[in-house]
């Protein structure tokens, strides 16, 4: 074992340039980080900069440093798709050949909606791609008045159901979501997650979503690096929506986050504790609040907030700790539409004990991450997984 603790932080959607097959996905020339730096020329990310982010990728007004602290490269996605679950599952060793279904442009098929309506006994309204706050302002009053059920989606592979906690009821909302999960196990309708979205309030402008959200996720299609670590007796601690993405599989502890800043605060507190294993962090606001809403200024401000917290985190990093910073896909806020973008992702690795630094050759799969973690703890990756370790390059 080279490192006693590994922190893997996923800056959700921070792509670093279009993949070679991006045109197949309508994402030619996408570049999340590059375009954010072009549209926010005053952006300052000094901690990412000193770790090597500007060496990794050409950024406007952020210069590469002569001696970056860490090792850096770009990872290409081997799986088919560009969604959250595909990216994270591949990081931990799974090769996803069939992308999860999305219904961003069309809403859900009539046959699916009809079956969901029949089995829940609800008239369904909505059935389109929308933000959670917008759909409530549009249809919340109608749902309360009529008992109808709001169903909507997003650019992710999700089916979301809203329910007012006082009039619809939490248990009823969960019941309807369980039915939706059963229905969407069909291959042609298979979405990654069903999400219960409870809210309170009685009129437009006053609706607020509550903390009683519940995700009904698909379980990973096979065992991952997380399962291997847990079986071997190591700690596998999650922060943010990692629990939802893996449906709790392979985890020994999970921590829900209220925001990306809160997620970093939780990670800093975990770094102050004693554990032996992996802390796996997802910071979702970059994607949910700024990428999908095509707001490069908000994205840049979120990066600056992250960078401040990253500085605090680095102060708590021990000699036998390893930090890996990466992403799960792109979401270029200057691109057309509101969907994720098919991009390479960063891989930055740093430990206070490293004597070297610099560029590593580009890697052909995100699974480098899981394989490297497993290699560090001398744990065999599960059968059928992909990925090669770069541990020997992190000297």
């Amino acid at each position: 074992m080279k490192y006693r603790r590994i922190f893997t932080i996923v800056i959700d959607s921070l792509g670093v340039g279009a993949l070679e097959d991006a045109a197949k996905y309508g994402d030619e020339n996408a570049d999340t980080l590059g375009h954010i730096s072009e549209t926010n020329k005053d952006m300052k990310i000094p901690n990412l900069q000193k770790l090597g982010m500007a060496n990794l990728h050409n950024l406007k007004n952020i210069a590469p440093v002569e001696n970056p602290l860490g090792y850096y490269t770009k990872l290409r996605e081997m799986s088919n798709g560009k969604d959250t679950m595909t990216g994270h599952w591949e990081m931990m060793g799974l090769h996803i050949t069939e992308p999860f279904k999305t219904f961003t442009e069309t809403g859900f098929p009539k046959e699916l909606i009809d079956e969901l309506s029949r089995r829940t006994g609800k008239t369904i309204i909505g059935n389109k791609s929308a933000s959670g706050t917008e759909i409530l302002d549009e249809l919340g009053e109608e749902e309360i008045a009529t008992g109808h059920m709001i169903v909507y989606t997003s650019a992710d592979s999700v089916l979301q159901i809203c329910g007012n906690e006082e009039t619809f009821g939490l248990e009823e909302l969960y019941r309807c979501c369980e039915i939706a999960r059963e229905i969407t196990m069909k291959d042609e309708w298979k979405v990654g997650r069903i999400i219960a979205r409870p809210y309170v309030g009685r009129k437009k402008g006053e609706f607020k979503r509550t903390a009683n959200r519940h995700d009904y996720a698909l379980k990973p299609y096979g065992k991952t690096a997380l399962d291997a670590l847990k079986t071997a007796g190591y700690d596998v601690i999650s922060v943010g929506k990692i629990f939802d993405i893996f449906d709790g599989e392979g985890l020994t502890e999970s921590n829900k986050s209220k925001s990306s800043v809160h997620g970093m605060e939780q990670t800093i507190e975990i770094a102050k504790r004693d554990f032996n294993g992996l802390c796996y962090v997802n910071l979702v606001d970059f994607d949910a609040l700024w990428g999908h809403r095509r707001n490069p200024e908000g994205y840049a401000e979120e990066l600056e907030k992250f960078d401040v917290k990253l500085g605090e985190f680095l102060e708590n990093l021990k000699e036998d700790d390893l930090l890996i910073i990466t992403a799960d896909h792109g979401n270029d806020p200057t691109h057309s539409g509101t969907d994720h973008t098919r991009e390479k992702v960063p891989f930055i690795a740093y430990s206070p004990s490293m004597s070297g630094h610099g560029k590593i050759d580009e890697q052909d799969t995100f699974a480098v991450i899981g394989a490297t973690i497993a290699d560090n703890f001398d744990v065999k990756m599960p059968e059928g997984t992909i990925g090669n370790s770069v541990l020997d390059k992190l000297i």
Side-chain angles (χ1 to χ4, degrees):
M1 184 173 64
K2 190 172 182 179
Y3 301 105
R4 191 166 186 273
R5 308 188 303 178
I6 297 180
F7 295 84
T8 298
I9 299 177
V10 181
I11 304 178
D12 199 308
S13 82
L14 191 71
V16 286
L19 270 162
E20 289 77 5
D21 63 355
K24 256 189 357 183
Y25 295 79
D27 296 330
E28 198 170 11
N29 301 319
D31 183 355
T32 300
L33 181 57
H35 289 151
I36 288 167
S37 76
E38 286 178 8
T39 54
N40 297 273
K41 293 185 173 60
D42 294 329
M43 182 173 72
K44 292 179 174 57
I45 47 173
N47 291 301
L48 283 169
Q49 184 181 14
K50 71 183 184 182
L51 287 174
M53 186 66 87
N55 299 69
L56 165 75
H57 199 52
N58 183 36
L59 303 177
K60 288 285 183 184
N61 296 334
I62 301 177
V65 294
E66 186 173 346
N67 293 302
L69 294 179
Y71 289 91
Y72 55 88
T73 188
K74 296 180 182 181
L75 307 181
R76 297 187 288 270
E77 187 165 16
M78 183 179 289
S79 297
N80 293 321
K82 53 177 179 176
D83 60 84
T84 299
M85 289 176 68
T86 300
H88 284 79
W89 286 11
E90 181 170 319
M91 281 181 214
M92 293 299 133
L94 297 183
H95 182 202
I96 309 303
T97 56
E98 288 293 325
F100 298 107
K101 301 297 182 186
T102 57
F103 298 93
T104 311
E105 304 300 327
T106 60
F108 299 104
K110 182 178 184 300
E111 295 79 9
L112 188 162
I113 293 296
D114 287 348
E115 186 172 346
L116 183 58
S117 178
R118 178 182 62 80
R119 290 185 56 183
T120 59
K122 306 285 185 183
T123 298
I124 291 172
I125 54 177
N127 190 25
K128 62 181 179 180
S129 178
S131 84
T133 51
E134 289 170 356
I135 202 82
L136 286 180
D137 278 344
E138 179 185 349
L139 298 174
E141 290 180 359
E142 180 181 345
E143 180 180 81
I144 291 167
T146 63
H148 296 165
M149 183 168 75
I150 301 170
V151 174
Y152 71 108
T153 189
S154 71
D156 273 323
S157 179
V158 294
L159 184 153
Q160 303 183 83
I161 302 178
C162 297
N164 186 284
E165 290 197 1
E166 296 172 343
T167 61
F168 198 99
L170 264 182
E171 292 308 312
E172 178 64 6
L173 175 61
Y174 295 159
R175 180 187 75 88
C176 293
C177 287
E178 288 167 4
I179 292 169
R181 179 70 280 174
E182 288 179 27
I183 291 170
T184 55
M185 292 305 292
K186 289 184 179 180
D187 286 343
E188 63 269 30
W189 299 341
K190 191 174 285 185
V191 294
R193 286 174 292 156
I194 307 296
I195 305 178
R197 290 286 195 179
Y199 66 98
V200 293
R202 290 303 182 99
K203 61 182 181 180
K204 181 178 178 179
E206 296 180 359
F207 296 125
K208 291 183 179 178
R209 297 195 292 193
T210 75
N212 292 318
R213 162 182 169 165
H214 188 66
D215 289 48
Y216 300 80
L218 292 174
K219 289 194 180 297
Y221 294 158
K223 296 296 184 182
T224 70
L226 304 181
D227 296 293
L229 290 170
K230 181 179 179 180
T231 300
Y234 290 101
D235 297 306
V236 187
I237 302 168
S238 74
V239 175
K241 68 177 187 176
I242 297 295
F243 181 92
D244 297 331
I245 294 166
F246 290 87
D247 198 31
E249 296 293 305
L251 302 176
T252 61
E253 175 188 329
S254 64
N255 299 271
K256 282 189 174 183
S257 303
K258 299 172 187 174
S259 66
S260 289
V261 168
H262 181 227
M264 281 303 294
E265 290 170 347
Q266 291 171 303
T267 306
I268 291 165
E269 289 305 308
I270 292 168
K272 295 175 182 177
R273 291 163 33 189
D274 182 46
F275 72 91
N276 186 11
L278 171 67
C279 178
Y280 193 12
V281 181
N282 175 277
L283 305 175
V284 73
D285 287 353
F286 300 92
D287 185 53
L289 297 184
W290 315 118
H292 287 309
R293 297 181 186 181
R294 295 301 185 247
N295 186 336
E297 293 77 23
Y299 207 127
E301 289 174 9
E302 196 74 48
L303 276 171
E304 290 182 329
K305 291 177 188 176
F306 166 75
D307 198 81
V308 170
K309 291 298 176 185
L310 176 61
E312 295 176 28
F313 171 79
L314 291 173
E315 292 174 1
N316 289 279
L317 211 58
K318 298 177 180 178
E319 285 291 310
D320 56 354
D321 290 340
L322 174 67
L323 168 65
I324 296 172
I325 296 174
T326 190
D328 52 344
H329 50 71
N331 199 345
D332 187 341
T334 70
H335 201 57
S336 58
T338 61
D339 199 359
H340 295 150
T341 43
R342 175 88 169 168
E343 296 184 51
K344 299 174 185 179
V345 302
F347 176 91
I348 293 177
Y350 167 70
S351 172
S353 63
M354 284 177 176
S355 57
H357 58 82
K359 186 177 180 180
I360 300 172
D361 291 340
E362 273 195 23
Q363 303 292 308
D364 61 3
T365 173
F366 297 178
V368 162
I369 295 169
T372 299
I373 294 167
D375 186 16
N376 177 75
F377 293 107
D378 198 23
V379 169
K380 185 179 179 182
M381 284 290 286
E383 188 175 346
T385 53
I386 60 172
N388 57 284
S389 171
V390 294
L391 187 67
D392 63 342
K393 302 183 191 308
L394 309 180
I395 57 175

